[in-house]
Each structure stands twice: as C-alpha cells, then as structure tokens.
Amino acid sequence: MSRYIARRLLLALVTIWLASLGVFLAVQALPGDVTTQILGQNATRANVAALRAELGLDESPWRRYLDWMSGMLHGDFGSSLVNHASVGAEVGLRLRNTLLLAGVTVVLGVSLALVLGVVAGLYRDRWPDLAISSLSLVGMSMPEFVIATVLVLLFSIDIPLFPAVVTAGPDARIGDLLPAIWLPSIALTVVMAAYIIRMLRTSVIDVMASEFVTTARLKGISPARVVLRHALPSALLPTLNVIAMNIAWLVGGVVVVESVFNYPGVGLLTIDAVHNRDLPVIQTIAVLGAATYVLCNLAADLAAMALNPRLRTNRRTA
Amino acid sequence: MSRRGLLTAGAGAAAGAWLLTACGSGGNADKAAATAAATGKAAAGGTLRIARPPASSAETLDPASSLSAYEYLGALYSRLVRRGSDGKPAADLATSWEMSDEAKTWTFTLRDGVTFHNGQAFTSADAAYTLTHILDPATKSPQAGVLSTFVAASGISTPDKNTLVVKLKAAHAEFPTLLMHYNCYVIAKDSAKTTATKGIGTGPFKLASFTPAGPGKVVANTDYYGGKPVLDAIAFSSIAETQSRINALLSQQVDLISQTNLDSAGVKTVQASSTATVVEVKNAQWYTLPMLCTAAPFTDSKVRQAFKLAYDPAQVIKLAVQGHGTIAHDNPVPPDDPYRLDYTVSPDPEKAKALLKKAGHDKLTLPLYTSDYDSVLTPLALAMKDSVAHAGITLNIQNAPSDSYYTKIWMQKPLMTSYWYVGRPIDQLLSEIFHSGSAYNESKWSNPTFDGLIASARKETDDAKRKQLYQDAQKLMVDQDGTIMPFFASRMIGISKKVVNYHESGFEFDYLKIGLSA
C-alpha cells in the first residue's frame, strides 16, 4: 500500500514537471512578450527597450525558466514580470478565493448530485427519475456562460437578490465575497452535477439488481439500510473519479464562470497572466493545476480502495 | 491612446451577438438613438461608482507614464493649460501665457494660492519639475517624443514662484497645446518616485486608495481652487469582461462604465433597462484603415487614391456604427477643431477603377486585417468590404487575435483597421501620426512637403497664416496620404439614470458638477 502511494507520488512529480515545461513552451510560441503586451499601442521600439531593461528581461527565456524551477524547488515561485510582486503571495490569495468558491460548490453541488443520483436510480423510469434525468441533460448541454448569464439576468437584474459581479479586488475579506458566491456556485453546480447524477444513477441501478442486495432484502433488512449501508458504497465506486475530476476542475480555477462574475480567483488571474505573457505566474498556476489533478485522482483511488476491500486484496497480491 | 483590451473568454460569443443584431437592425437602427446625459440639480454628496477594464497590474498614477490609469488622472491632477470648449488652450494652473522671441520663448504666469493634496504650496518649481520628469528618458513618457523636439531641461527656468519660462529649441507658435495632453498633469517637485502610488496632485479629488488593476477610491478635495465638487467620492472597480461591466451597471452595482464603447447589442441591452441608459459622446474616436505606404500595392499613390474614391462613407457609417458618427472625408482633424479644413472629395468608384487600371491592377484582391480589440473594428471591415466591391476591389477579412493585434498586425500588414481617441490638438495630431518617421505613423506615409508645412506652421506667429498652413497640410493628406478615414464615431457610454450633469471629454468629466440625483 505505502509502496503504491510512493510510486504514484513520484509519477505525480514527473507529471507536474512536464506540465510546467509544456506551458513554458506554449507561452514561448505565443506572439509578443510581456513588454509588448503591457504597452499595446504604446509599444514603440524605444518604450519596449526601456521597459525590457527595467523588468530585467534581457536574459534568455530558458535561463529564466531554469531559475524559476530551481527557485520553486526551494518553495519560491519567483516574482511577477509585470509588477514584481511575489507570485506565491498573489496566487495564494487567488487560491483562497477559488477554494472558497470550490468549497461551497462541492458541499452544495456534490451532496445535491449524490441525493438526486440515488433517487433517480431507485425510481428508475418513474417520474422522479424522468424529471431528474431530463433536467440534468439540459444542464449538461448548456455552456456555463449561458447558465451564468441567465442566472445574472434572473437573480441580479430582474430580482436583485445577489450581486452580478464582484467589485472588490482579490484581497477582499471573505465576508465581502460571500454574498457574491451563490450565483457562480449555482452555475458551477448545474454544470457539474449532471455528470455525477447520470453516473450514479446507472451504478445504483446496477447495484440494486445485484445478488447481494437481493440477499440483504431477503434477510429482512429495512429498505433505507439496504440502500445506505449495502448498495451505496458499491454504487459510489465508479462515481468517485468523476467527483475527483470535478473537484480538481473547480480548484484549478473555473475561467469562464470567474470571468462572467468577475470573481477574483485563479481563473481570472490565469487570463490576465496569459494575456500579459507573465511566465512565472502562468507556470505557478500550471504546477498548481497539475498537482491538484494528480492529488485528486490519487485521493479518489485511495477512497475506492477504502470502499472496496477487493481492490485492497488485489493490490497486495499483485 | 489605446485601450488595453483583454484576452476575453467570451469574445467569440460577443462577436456572434453582434452579427445577430447587425443582421436584424436594418429598419430599427434609429430606435437605438442615444440620449444626452440628464441635467438638473444633483443631491449634495454621494459616491459615483465607476467600472473600468483592468489594464495591467503594472498600471500607475504617474500621469507621464504610458501605463497610467487614465480614469484617476483628471480627478487627482491639474495641468498648466487644459483644452477649452473651443479646442484652444484654456487656463488651469497657468492663468495666462505669452510668446516672445518669434515663438521661441514662452512665459507662463501661474495661479497663486494653490496647494497640493498634502498641503504643500504649488509653485513654478513644481511646474518645471513636471516638464523635466516627462522629458526624462527613464519615465518612458509617450509625450516625451513630442515635447523633446522643442524643450530641453536646460531651457526651463523659474524667475519667481509664479512664473515659468520655457526657452524652446525650435520655434512653436502652438506650444501650449502640447501641454494639454493627459501626460502633462502637474506633479509636486521631487515626487517622481512616489506619485505612482500616492497620486498627490492639485485636482478636485484626493486619493483614498488605489490598487493597480483593482479597486480604488478618490474623495472630494474641499480645498480645490475651482470650488468644491458636488460628489463626496468616486469609487472605481476593475471588471475585465465587457458583458460583466454591463451586468454590473444593470444590477445597479455601478453607475457608469468607462473605456467601454458599447456595440449595438450592448446599447440595446442597456436601453432596455429601467435604471440605466446610454449617453452618446459625439465624435469621440476616429476609425481608420491605414494603407502601409511602404508595402505593395500601396507604394503607388494611385492605388491609395483609388481606395479613397472607392468607398461610400455614408453607407459605411450606416453599416458600421448605425449612423452614430460624422463623415470624416479622410481628414483626421475633428469637426469641432477650429483649424479643420472643409474639403471633400466625393466617392467615385468609376474613377477608382480607372486609377487602379492605370496602376496596372485590373482586379485587386487584398487581405484586410481586423480584430475584436474595439467593438467597431470588425463591423467597419465588413462595411468597407461591401462598399469597395463596386470598384472591383475584393477584400478578404482576416480576424486576428485582439491580444496581439498591436504587436503583430498594426504597422505591419498592408491593410488593417485601427482607431484613435480624439483630443490631440492639431499640431500634435499631425506630427505624431502623420509626420515622416514618427513612432505612431501607422501608414508610414512620408512626404517632405507635408513635413515642411508643419515646420512652417509652427514658426508662423500670425494666426491666420498659421491656420492656412495647417489647412494646406490637411488638403495634402486627403489627396495623397495613406489613411482611409471614413468617420468619427460616437462613444456609447452606459450610465445609470441617477447620474446627472455628466460631461466627458477624453476620460475627464466635469468633476465639479457631476453628481447623483436626489
């Protein structure tokens, strides 16, 4: 077990490094550099040269990449090419905001999806299932910016219940961000829940038809206990990875939803950093994103083992 | 100056929305006609909330910088001279000015009793310091290129605390107009290092807080020499997406969206609201298609002339901006500029064809580059494509990414769309964008006669004769230069119905009068 985890963690490090290299190469392929992007129409030759010197961009990009890598190994993510602020602090602040949004969405969205998925599976082909399944199909097929825009129209403009955008900056107090969290969170829930519901519905149907559930029923165990204690752990197994991927997606910064609501999270920072070709920031976000995906995946696999003793035995004998 | 647009996730969606409305707006275009801002009595006090696009986290409150946060400048600072309603220099920190020595020496008399926000008295030393700060190469001021041709730090002197004397390197009878630029706001002596974040000026508002690319606030300066503003404060927030800025206005989280020229879909959305409206700032920006005079086929002046004759500006203006504009007749000098030349050449597709034939092109096919950098650029490209087709010119529209439009397309592709904000006084306009070798000369047109006319005009101290020289230069541009310039367009501003006495020129308001209705 511990050897398995160690091997997965080692692979994770390689994945993360490859992600940072890939992003570095991609940014090199983009036209323009940080000076031309900041100056725009004012990017005259003299202005660009002066700003390059001021920002210390005379070194080769590879050299800067290596410096950034070695810094990162010591826990220093470097400083932004645009304003020289510490990337660690900037990304940390944005990550706090994104985690807040992701946390609310996970609690709200995942628990809602689990309940609806189980209900749909148990009431297969009856009206609760038909209602849940068709609604989740609708949610699945709408792009998130459409959902977000409709929500703003309904609940900020027509009925002014929630703010339409966040007007505070990234260093806003959590108390100031909270009122603005509900609409983005609902939009994300709609997008995310559909996948989980459909996955869970199928596996609940499979499990409820299996022999051990029939046995449990014949033994006279109450229907609620059959579902919660016997069927659900097995039904959850195939859903775990979907949930893990969704959490990783949320933590990595949801670019579209954050930009519709002007939510000062990692997603908005990503847009800004790519626009400005701000390499240290982009690379730090890439490393963060890759690490989140790898860790969420690992967590899902470990949770699957905990829920299913057969997987644990197989690993031991392998 | 340029709008530092953002790479936007929803750009495709916005373009789609534009196409939908553009296709459906044939008959009811005029229904979208915008109103003027409400006037009337404002309630005392209140906070005006403005949403602006975040430029970059490198933005600064140093007015001289190319990275300055425009919206704050007019509130925080004053200039020696500002642009008057007649387009001529009007008194601000300087109360009067006169030239001597055949326009080679300018003496400015400065206002007495003005203090900076920190209580320090304003004197000629601050004015002199501001000029040297702009000229300092380390400041990288866009205005340095224009000013350094005429001013050196050694030529600036301060005989007493209310007098500034500038001895020019070369005569310039319109020199004060160069000081109307927003880069020329006056900062306190020795504040170059701190002004970027402190924003200490002599303007109607004082800085309360400022975050680059983030929120900020200015509060009324009760000691302002022009009187006390109606408002208590102006709060700024940064919102990257145009649609999100509109949403913020419609949900009454902000009262005004700045640096956002609403497209026709945006205008309709805002006008449908019960709480917000659209104000039309007339002739606020000019749209052009620079023809690169150093690239084929535009090296031939006959081809350039043919392009100018080929399109019908009335049709282009209707298609591209639903009629919210003024025909420019290929002349970039704004309609309200006292020096504008009234000279028009009527469209003539047949003559254009003949000229192209003479230049050796039976049929001409060219790519025309555009982007979503500004909401009008792509509609303009489509309208031009349509309009020049009659003259046998086929334009293939190439939509380039907006985030590298000014680095990869501008001044590099033979034909593209571009735009500028009005507000440059005539001498700066002509010398910065049309003079040989200027950094912003986007068509790379180079004409010694034109350069000579500008040089003579500057030396000419007789007003009537000088006007004539600037007008001769304009005629030469219309006939020969590399700029197709169909129209001046209105800027469509989304604003809350609560805002009264809004008047904007450049990015400056009438800061004293603007307020919120009771």
Side-chain angles (χ1 to χ4, degrees), chain B residues 151-169:
Chain B
V151 194
S154 57
I156 305 168
S157 58
T158 51
D160 64 60
K161 75 181 183 52
N162 286 332
T163 310
L164 174 76
V165 179
V166 184
K167 238 179 147 48
L168 301 183
K169 291 196 267 184

Side-chain angles (χ1 to χ4, degrees), chain A residues 195-212:
Chain A
Y195 292 95
I196 302 177
I197 291 172
R198 295 195 61 79
M199 196 79 189
L200 192 58
R201 173 186 177 272
T202 317
S203 72
V204 164
I205 291 171
D206 283 351
V207 173
M208 291 305 285
S210 66
E211 286 166 6
F212 77 92

Side-chain angles (χ1 to χ4, degrees), chain A residues 31-32 36-44 47 50-51 54 80 82-83 145 152 156-157 163-169 255-256 259-262 268 271-272 274-277, chain B residues 1-2 4-7 9 13 55-58 66-67 138 140 142 215 237-241 244 247-248 250-251 253-254 403-404 406-408 410 418-420 439-440 442:
Chain A
T36 59
Q37 292 311 113
I38 295 176
L39 290 168
Q41 201 174 5
N42 279 323
T44 58
N47 276 348
L51 192 60
E54 188 183 311
S80 158
V82 178
N83 62 356
F145 68 86
V152 168
S156 314
I157 297 173
V165 295
V166 180
T167 50
V255 174
V256 176
S259 65
V260 171
F261 293 100
N262 200 45
L268 266 193
I271 297 184
D272 200 38
V274 172
H275 176 264
N276 286 333
R277 316 287 189 256
Chain B
M1 275 297 133
S2 78
R4 291 174 289 238
L6 272 184
L7 173 79
S56 79
S57 49
S66 53
L67 304 174
K140 303 183 292 292
S237 51
S238 295
I239 302 177
E241 280 288 320
S244 308
N247 288 347
L250 297 182
S251 65
Q253 282 181 275
V254 301
D403 81 325
S404 54
Y406 278 96
T407 32
K408 290 288 151 189
W410 188 58
S418 171
Y419 79 110
W420 300 83
Y440 296 92
E442 55 184 355

Side-chain angles (χ1 to χ4, degrees), chain B residues 7-143:
Chain B
L7 173 79
T8 53
W18 173 81
L19 274 175
L20 283 176
T21 46
C23 295
S25 68
N28 60 0
D30 283 329
K31 225 194 264 173
T35 49
T39 52
K41 197 164 160 48
T47 299
L48 179 75
R49 301 159 304 167
I50 297 180
R52 55 194 290 270
S56 79
S57 49
E59 65 175 354
T60 153
L61 294 175
D62 182 349
S65 166
S66 53
L67 304 174
S68 57
Y70 316 121
E71 288 93 341
Y72 289 81
L73 301 182
L76 296 175
Y77 301 99
S78 327
R79 281 162 291 200
L80 291 179
V81 290
R82 58 178 181 80
R83 186 184 154 90
S85 52
D86 58 355
K88 297 198 163 153
D92 203 350
L93 285 176
T95 48
S96 64
W97 46 92
E98 56 189 30
M99 61 179 169
S100 53
D101 188 17
E102 289 176 327
K104 272 194 164 155
T105 301
W106 281 86
T107 305
F108 295 84
T109 306
L110 307 181
R111 199 178 288 270
D112 220 354
V114 174
T115 54
F116 283 96
H117 297 152
N118 60 1
Q120 191 187 324
F122 160 73
T123 69
S124 55
D126 304 305
Y129 177 78
T130 299
L131 287 179
T132 48
H133 173 59
I134 298 168
L135 293 169
D136 183 351
T139 310
K140 303 183 292 292
S141 176
Q143 191 68 357

Side-chain angles (χ1 to χ4, degrees), chain A residues 71-102:
Chain A
M72 194 194 64
L73 293 176
H74 300 98
D76 173 11
F77 293 96
S79 53
S80 158
L81 297 182
V82 178
N83 62 356
H84 300 299
S86 150
V87 175
E90 175 73 22
V91 174
L93 201 55
R94 301 293 189 126
L95 186 62
R96 178 202 69 165
N97 301 338
T98 287
L99 283 177
L100 186 67
L101 176 59

Side-chain angles (χ1 to χ4, degrees), chain A residues 105 108-109 112 135-144 147-148 151 183-197 249:
Chain A
T105 309
L108 204 87
L112 184 77
L135 277 180
S136 62
L137 268 180
V138 172
M140 212 165 161
S141 42
M142 273 203 294
E144 57 237 73
I147 299 171
L151 286 172
L183 289 187
S185 186
I186 294 169
L188 291 169
T189 296
V190 172
V191 177
M192 185 180 75
Y195 292 95
I196 302 177
I197 291 172
W249 171 65

